[in-house]
Amino acid sequence: MSTGSGGGFQDPPAEVLAEAAAAFGLLATPARLHIVWALAQGESDVTGLAERVGGTLPSVSQHLTKLKLAGLVRSRREGRRQVYLVDDPDVVTVVRLMVGQLAERAGHAPQEPVRLRELGA
């Protein structure tokens, strides 16, 4: 592995870069990013998520399935409902940092809940 010229960090292995690119690819759609943002604030069922992100139940359910298969979210049964939550705290950190920075640049207070549609995403 070679070191980059910007501070001595070693380049990550190709498989790590591929895994990171896949995770970012899953979050590259505004709907999925909004779902992860919402779940970073607390767990929810698909109905609550659909209301919060403004999607239909089938589309939110499909997005959750993809995020779940990738290991970014998980679900648990609560009676007859499936409750979803973020399964990777590092993803929460990255999403909060990125969305928070963009919200600040757009003139939103960092603690305000931000709908991605308001950011032009």
Side-chain angles (χ1 to χ4, degrees), residues 2 11 16 19-21 24 32-33 45 57 85 90 92 104 107 120:
S2 64
D11 291 341
V16 171
E19 188 175 332
F24 281 120
R32 275 184 242 152
L33 186 56
D45 64 8
L57 287 175
L85 56 148
D90 294 330
V92 171
E104 281 186 37

Side-chain angles (χ1 to χ4, degrees), residues 26-38 67 95 98-99 102 116 121:
L26 277 169
L27 296 174
T29 66
R32 275 184 242 152
L33 186 56
H34 198 168
I35 289 167
V36 172
W37 171 262
L67 292 167
V95 169
M98 176 59 79
V99 174
L102 292 172
L116 292 178

Side-chain angles (χ1 to χ4, degrees), residues 70-104:
L72 299 178
V73 302
R74 66 183 167 95
S75 65
R76 64 179 171 75
R77 187 148 303 276
E78 201 175 82
R80 292 179 14 187
R81 307 180 319 147
Q82 284 283 97
V83 177
Y84 293 88
L85 56 148
V86 177
D87 198 28
D88 188 339
D90 294 330
V91 169
V92 171
T93 301
V94 170
V95 169
R96 283 185 175 161
L97 179 65
M98 176 59 79
V99 174
Q101 289 293 319
L102 292 172
E104 281 186 37

Side-chain angles (χ1 to χ4, degrees), residues 46-70:
V46 69
T47 302
L49 284 169
E51 289 173 4
R52 180 160 179 186
V53 304
T56 64
L57 287 175
S59 70
V60 170
S61 183
Q62 286 177 352
H63 288 305
L64 284 166
T65 297
K66 290 179 182 182
L67 292 167
K68 191 174 175 181
L69 287 171

